[in-house]
Amino acid sequence: MQTFTTSDGIEIAYRVWDNESTSPLVVLHHGFIADGLVNWVGPGIVDALLASGRRVAAIDAR
């Protein structure tokens, strides 16, 4: 996963699945005590969105 650092120094992980699409980006944010892989990749949500032609990003919570 890639990361970025917020203005107050917190490092946030994210991953982008870029599907050459003109559709708006779908941003997925996971729930409590999980991460993007557990909530969105494992159950097939990311694959379903990619198959429908969407671009997808998953961002970890602070």
Side-chain angles (χ1 to χ4, degrees), residues 16-34:
V16 175
W17 294 265
D18 202 3
N19 208 2
E20 294 182 21
S21 173
T22 58
S23 297
L25 175 70
V26 175
V27 178
L28 303 173
H29 193 275
H30 65 80
F32 182 64
I33 65 168

Side-chain angles (χ1 to χ4, degrees), residues 30-45:
H30 65 80
F32 182 64
I33 65 168
D35 63 19
L37 296 176
V38 171
N39 272 152
W40 309 118
V41 176
I45 304 300

Side-chain angles (χ1 to χ4, degrees), residues 41-60:
V41 176
I45 304 300
V46 170
D47 286 339
L49 288 166
L50 292 172
S52 72
R54 302 304 295 261
R55 296 180 307 132
V56 181
I59 186 168
D60 279 350

